[in-house]
Amino acid sequence: MMTTSASPAPIRLALAEDPLSSASPAPWIGPLIALGTRAARFFRKQQGRQLIVAISVPKRDFAATLVAVGWVMAQAAPRLSNPLEVLRTAEPGSVVRVVTERDVIVDRFCRLNEEKDPPRLHLSNSQWQVPRIRAVQVLDAAELDQPIRMAHPEPGAIGRLARAGEGWDARLAAPTADLAIIGTRTWLQEDFDAFLSREGDVETERPKELLEDLAKAKEKGKSYRVTVGHGALLDVVLPQSDQSSTCFTTLYAAARLADKLPLRTDLNAAILDGGGAIKYLAQIETPVVICILDRSVADETADDLVIQIRNTRGEPLLLCDDFGWRPPTGVEALAFTVAL
Amino acid sequence: MSRIDALNQRYAACAELVRSGVEIVGVGDPAGARFNAAVRRLMVLLKDEGGDFLDDLVGAAKALRWRQISQPQPLDFNPGLLHLAGEVAKHAARLRGAIADQALLDELVTSAAQVAGTDPVVGAVLLRSCEEVGTENCIVIAASTPAAAGLESWLNKHDIPVLTAGELERGQLEREQAYVVGPPRFYRSSLVTAPVTSGVSFLMPAWFGDRSVPRSAIGAYAEGAIRIVARVFTEGDTTEPELTIPGETEDESEYLPQPVWGTRQSGDREPASDEVEARKVLLSGNLAMWLDDGERIRSLDPAQPVGERVTYTDVAAVRAGTYLLLRQGETERGVLYQAAIGRLARGEVIDEALAAWKHLLTERLQEVGYRQVVKQLRAAGVKTADRARAWTNPNLVRPNSDQDFERLLQWLGINIQPTFGYATLLRKTLYQVSAEIGKQLETAVSAADLPELETIGHLSLDVKAEGFRGILATRVLAISPFTEIVSRHDARVPFEDRSGQWLE
């Protein structure tokens, strides 16, 4: 095989199951993230029809999560006014999301005290020096059962690769939560706990939250558990939960999906991980759908369903031309659009 | 090995198999070839003569042929081979005088006895191959759970693990070479497109002609499609009887053991209002059920983790191998519907409003027929018009799509509101009830012995919820190729049935 391209060797990415063990590089990690990114770009360019992409992988592990990471990282950061200006116009009693260096908090706004130097923000449950606030957003939600405080998500190596840098805090404050991930919840949550890095890179600066939790676990003799703020894939996927103060995605268990349809209409994309999720393909109306077919499962019902929709209602696309994306070795891919 | 390293190995094994292909070894088997020739003649006779009187002989002959391919262990470990040869002789004797070609019956009996009188040659080659590679480096893959059990009784003595393709997926065996018993086309493509070992060899009798390797289901349309080539070898005495049979089927799957379906009895009429079109579904445990094209059915996926095993499957997606959760004597959908109506403040009004549009739709179906209704609904912009008959089912609350439902009501000449609102409210309530029952079933399933379910095929579950005693988890063995018209009351209720007796 010959390659005619003169571009430099692509960056190889690596995954690790815990933050201290060495990461295993693999040629399929980067392309799966890239697929999510390309799908997000395609979505912004062409609307009006539903895009369906199906890839088959030797085994489902990590595929949906990596595609989700790509989708999330492709989102543009919103332009937010500086925190002091936002707080000056905020109505007392309104619900705000506040991003600081260490936390993301959703709480009720009480008042802004500018008589102090530096100015001070009073929430129902905590107080903050305004210069320590990186981003703030007033939310539409009128109801709030209780304040939520979550560690500041750290995008780590992916953030550096995607140059998320400055926009990250604005995104945490005013997130675009337009992606649904549907599959086996337990397996997806295991996937979210993996750590991504560039091949050969040694993580020099670890998130403080991670170091503290590792120390705590060691002290108590308990096993370490990944949470938001540790720099795992979880920090980028940021699924919605009762304990999350900000989120980029909504996770649905395929086994319970039948009782949840139709999906929210503000979702732009859905990743269907495995046959249990793909069987609902005809009932998913998000503008973008990405199906992960697990070839290690003998049941080909999901594959047949995708092909049936492609052949009866679809207009095929070429991923290599229309997306500029080629599947890595071991991955098959097809794409088409259907009328919504 | 970490999960990521194991996954990496999986991608690598896939790349390796794409590069080197799989090996197919056809082993010369003169006795088997002779019996195979007789079975092929019998199949042509079946096609020419028709009728059900040949069913048992054909069933026994196919079962013996399948056993030769799927269980080539020596006779000492293979009592089933002798038993099936006896069945062939028994049913041939019963047909004596009933068909003109007596010589064919004699040939079937003689060649079956010959097959059952010598150790299968494929078995010898299988054992030798394993020993050459080293028994610690290889695994043997069997086509089904009964076949795995048969082979295991023999190969265990040689410390060679035998697994079905499904078990292979769950195990953590690190082996280089897989020997697969039987031709590739009897296996799902996952065996070669998502291999666990870097080498895969299929062993089969040389008389079995079809050597095609299954392709991934999306391969024909995909970029980066995985195409696995086969390197075919033959060994031993591959002489076969000269045989040209006019009108013989090319489709190997016709030779697989099949249930006795008979022919459609219902004629070409439309079902009455209390009837449905339904396919017979054979279930493990000598059971069967009429499955109508209504709402999705509660099912169980043992491969999923605790808490996510109980789910729903669309009727069209029910396949051989699907595990269904059935209530003995009653359907879950009826119970669900009544519970949901009972919870709603104006339940009776809602029930009547829904009955009204379903009644109108049923009338239209009877007046102009299903095809015409679908055509008219399509013209009215209803995308899923082919579900028209399913929508008459009282338990299927409304079409999934809002747009389809609105257009359907308009087409029926019914005001969209309040019917639309009622149906949507009822659906939401049904979802709640169904989710609650789902949780109870999930608890019952998590306490059940799932390996036993997968080995035996069916299992009674102990469900504590009211009205939910006697839940049966059972595997679908086969689905009838044609529908019958049955009473709505009988649909989805399991009953005793023995038409699967010739299945493995």
Side-chain angles (χ1 to χ4, degrees):
Chain A
M1 269 236 291
M2 241 177 54
T3 50
T4 48
S5 158
S7 58
I11 303 159
R12 278 231 295 184
L13 299 178
L15 278 175
E17 274 188 290
D18 78 74
L20 299 179
S21 67
S22 67
S24 315
W28 41 268
I29 301 172
L32 290 175
I33 295 176
L35 177 63
T37 307
R38 300 288 159 91
R41 283 191 203 143
F42 187 92
F43 161 68
R44 285 199 287 270
K45 273 196 319 213
Q46 186 180 329
Q47 297 199 11
R49 286 175 69 81
Q50 185 181 38
L51 168 71
I52 299 177
V53 180
I55 62 169
S56 86
V57 291
K59 197 171 168 57
R60 62 151 295 284
D61 299 32
F62 300 108
T65 301
L66 293 170
V67 174
V69 164
W71 176 274
V72 169
M73 293 317 292
Q75 301 287 353
R79 284 169 196 275
L80 300 184
S81 305
N82 85 50
L84 193 59
E85 281 171 38
V86 177
L87 294 169
R88 276 176 180 154
T89 57
E91 293 280 333
S94 57
V95 178
V96 290
R97 186 182 286 116
V98 177
V99 179
T100 71
E101 187 199 348
R102 294 292 306 272
D103 299 280
V104 179
I105 303 125
V106 172
D107 197 354
R108 217 165 270 289
F109 170 74
C110 294
R111 66 193 175 96
L112 173 69
N113 183 354
E114 289 198 74
E115 283 159 19
K116 294 248 180 179
D117 186 26
R120 191 169 282 259
L121 162 66
H122 292 255
L123 299 174
S124 78
N125 205 28
S126 56
Q127 296 181 22
W128 301 89
Q129 291 184 2
V130 174
R132 310 203 75 137
I133 296 172
R134 291 178 167 186
V136 63
Q137 172 83 346
V138 180
L139 306 184
D140 292 335
E143 285 182 28
L144 179 72
D145 293 339
Q146 52 181 7
I148 307 171
R149 185 166 175 164
M150 181 178 84
H152 184 272
E154 301 295 333
I158 321 161
R160 287 193 296 280
L161 283 169
R163 299 186 183 83
E166 294 199 349
W168 184 248
D169 292 317
R171 293 189 55 193
L172 294 174
T176 310
D178 66 345
L179 175 66
I181 309 173
I182 305 165
T184 302
R185 182 181 272 273
T186 314
W187 294 343
L188 284 162
Q189 282 169 336
E190 283 169 17
D191 294 347
F192 297 165
D193 289 353
F195 291 79
L196 187 95
S197 58
R198 265 172 80 141
E199 181 177 15
D201 272 9
V202 180
E203 201 73 24
T204 45
E205 215 176 303
R206 294 184 184 280
K208 285 183 188 142
E209 192 76 14
L210 170 63
L211 296 174
E212 288 171 11
D213 285 356
L214 280 170
K216 265 188 234 164
K218 196 174 173 187
E219 193 188 340
K220 291 182 180 167
K222 285 186 178 165
S223 63
Y224 155 75
R225 275 192 62 193
V226 175
T227 65
V228 172
H230 289 186
L233 295 177
L234 176 68
D235 285 22
V236 177
V237 178
L238 275 187
Q240 187 190 21
S241 80
D242 295 344
Q243 288 97 43
S244 61
S245 52
T246 186
C247 67
F248 294 145
T249 60
T250 311
L251 179 57
Y252 294 92
R256 305 270 164 279
L257 192 66
D259 300 330
K260 299 250 161 68
L261 288 171
L263 293 181
R264 274 175 15 227
T265 50
D266 61 340
L267 292 167
N268 288 324
I271 299 174
L272 311 186
D273 184 16
I278 295 169
K279 67 187 176 191
Y280 295 103
L281 178 56
Q283 284 151 263
I284 306 285
E285 293 184 335
T286 53
V288 175
V289 181
I290 300 171
C291 303
I292 312 292
L293 296 160
D294 183 346
R295 289 202 307 271
S296 75
V297 174
D299 185 351
E300 288 173 353
T301 320
D303 309 56
D304 295 343
L305 181 67
V306 171
I307 295 300
Q308 188 212 335
I309 294 178
R310 176 195 180 275
N311 291 352
T312 53
R313 305 200 275 127
E315 279 179 21
L317 290 179
L318 264 183
L319 285 163
C320 59
D321 292 349
D322 299 310
F323 260 56
W325 184 81
R326 277 173 204 284
T329 307
V331 175
E332 301 175 305
L334 60 85
F336 54 94
T337 63
V338 295
L340 264 175
Chain B
M1 187 168 31
S2 84
R3 194 157 69 98
I4 294 154
D5 289 332
L7 183 61
N8 252 339
Q9 221 173 57
R10 199 81 190 238
Y11 276 86
C14 175
E16 174 60 25
L17 216 61
V18 167
R19 204 180 56 74
S20 62
V22 295
E23 187 181 69
I24 297 178
V25 182
V27 182
D29 171 23
R34 186 176 163 191
F35 178 67
N36 178 49
V39 177
R40 283 162 60 198
R41 283 168 59 197
L42 176 67
M43 291 296 286
V44 173
L45 181 75
L46 175 72
K47 215 187 262 175
D48 293 346
E49 301 264 326
D52 302 339
F53 70 106
L54 286 171
D55 281 347
D56 278 327
L57 179 60
V58 169
K62 280 185 189 171
L64 176 58
R65 185 178 181 273
W66 170 245
R67 184 153 185 122
Q68 274 182 281
I69 297 169
S70 63
Q71 296 199 44
Q73 65 269 29
L75 294 178
D76 287 349
F77 303 91
N78 211 341
L81 207 59
L82 198 64
H83 168 74
L84 286 172
E87 290 292 303
V88 170
K90 183 173 96 190
H91 290 290
R94 286 187 187 160
L95 287 173
R96 206 148 285 280
I99 59 172
D101 194 351
Q102 292 299 316
L104 172 58
L105 293 181
D106 293 339
E107 176 61 11
L108 273 167
V109 174
T110 312
S111 58
Q114 207 181 348
V115 162
T118 43
D119 284 343
V121 275
V122 175
V125 175
L126 172 64
L127 182 59
R128 197 194 67 216
S129 304
C130 289
E131 283 169 342
E132 276 169 11
V133 174
T135 53
E136 70 285 1
N137 293 323
C138 66
I139 40 171
V140 168
I141 298 171
S144 65
T145 310
L151 284 161
E152 205 167 24
S153 67
W154 167 51
L155 289 174
N156 260 0
K157 300 193 180 350
H158 302 274
D159 289 329
I160 302 167
V162 182
L163 300 170
T164 62
E167 289 165 342
L168 189 65
E169 215 38 66
R170 265 161 279 151
Q172 285 282 321
L173 280 172
E174 287 175 39
R175 307 263 169 152
E176 293 159 22
Q177 176 68 39
Y179 288 104
V180 186
V181 179
R185 66 150 297 149
F186 288 162
Y187 289 85
R188 295 288 190 167
S189 63
S190 60
L191 196 60
V192 293
T193 62
V196 175
T197 54
S198 51
V200 177
S201 298
F202 292 87
L203 287 97
M204 58 196 243
W207 50 259
F208 189 91
D210 187 344
R211 277 140 202 200
S212 59
V213 178
R215 289 169 57 169
S216 107
I218 69 165
Y221 307 95
E223 294 168 56
I226 290 169
R227 294 196 171 85
I228 307 289
V229 294
R231 290 167 288 128
V232 180
F233 303 91
T234 48
E235 64 170 276
D237 178 3
T238 56
T239 49
E240 288 184 26
E242 284 284 330
L243 191 66
T244 43
I245 307 176
E248 190 189 12
T249 176
E250 293 287 315
D251 184 6
E252 260 301 332
S253 48
E254 290 205 10
Y255 291 99
L256 290 177
Q258 276 156 5
V260 180
W261 294 118
T263 47
R264 181 175 154 109
Q265 306 293 315
S266 302
D268 196 20
R269 65 181 176 92
E270 286 289 327
S273 60
D274 58 346
E275 291 178 326
V276 286
E277 291 266 0
R279 277 175 206 280
K280 192 172 181 182
V281 173
L282 283 187
L283 304 165
S284 176
N286 291 323
L287 293 171
M289 175 189 74
W290 293 104
L291 182 59
D292 58 314
D293 179 18
E295 76 290 359
R296 43 187 194 240
I297 187 162
R298 192 78 79 165
S299 56
L300 167 69
D301 184 352
Q304 294 290 311
V306 172
E308 300 184 62
R309 287 177 181 146
V310 175
T311 181
Y312 280 108
T313 298
D314 270 335
V315 169
V318 173
R319 305 284 160 98
T322 306
Y323 288 90
L324 299 178
L325 287 175
L326 302 171
R327 298 154 59 87
Q328 279 145 338
E330 197 178 5
T331 60
E332 177 180 340
R333 57 184 178 178
V335 173
L336 274 181
Y337 187 89
Q338 288 311 325
I341 287 285
R343 265 188 212 191
L344 289 167
R346 302 174 61 203
E348 276 172 29
V349 179
I350 292 174
D351 189 30
E352 276 167 26
L354 298 194
W357 77 260
K358 281 171 188 291
H359 179 72
L360 272 180
L361 178 59
T362 309
E363 275 184 358
R364 295 274 180 103
L365 279 164
Q366 276 163 356
E367 279 162 26
V368 298
Y370 171 72
R371 278 195 203 137
Q372 191 58 30
V373 165
V374 172
K375 205 172 148 192
Q376 290 181 15
L377 282 173
R378 282 241 167 80
V382 177
K383 272 195 205 162
T384 48
D386 53 340
R387 303 273 291 152
R389 197 176 269 146
W391 293 329
T392 63
N393 187 325
N395 298 318
L396 198 146
V397 177
R398 45 158 286 183
N400 281 318
S401 147
D402 285 354
Q403 201 183 11
D404 277 1
F405 191 29
E406 286 176 8
R407 289 177 178 172
L408 170 68
L409 291 174
Q410 279 167 341
W411 179 79
L412 288 169
I414 296 179
N415 289 334
I416 290 177
Q417 295 299 355
T419 304
F420 186 95
Y422 285 165
T424 308
L425 178 63
L426 178 60
R427 180 172 72 178
K428 199 177 150 204
T429 314
L430 259 175
Y431 279 0
Q432 286 165 1
V433 180
S434 140
E436 288 161 20
I437 292 175
K439 267 188 198 154
Q440 289 160 352
L441 288 172
E442 194 71 65
T443 310
V445 165
S446 67
D449 184 354
L450 292 185
E452 184 189 314
L453 173 63
E454 287 179 89
T455 312
I456 299 172
H458 55 275
L459 194 67
S460 276
L461 296 180
D462 190 17
V463 181
K464 293 282 187 292
E466 190 187 345
F468 265 80
R469 261 159 258 117
I471 290 278
L472 178 74
T474 172
R475 185 164 55 213
V476 172
L477 299 178
I479 302 170
S480 165
F482 52 84
T483 61
E484 294 281 3
I485 295 174
V486 299
S487 151
R488 199 187 287 283
H489 185 74
D490 291 339
R492 302 199 179 188
V493 180
F495 56 90
E496 290 272 331
D497 188 279
R498 300 201 62 87
S499 34
Q501 65 168 320
W502 294 116
L503 290 177
E504 190 175 25

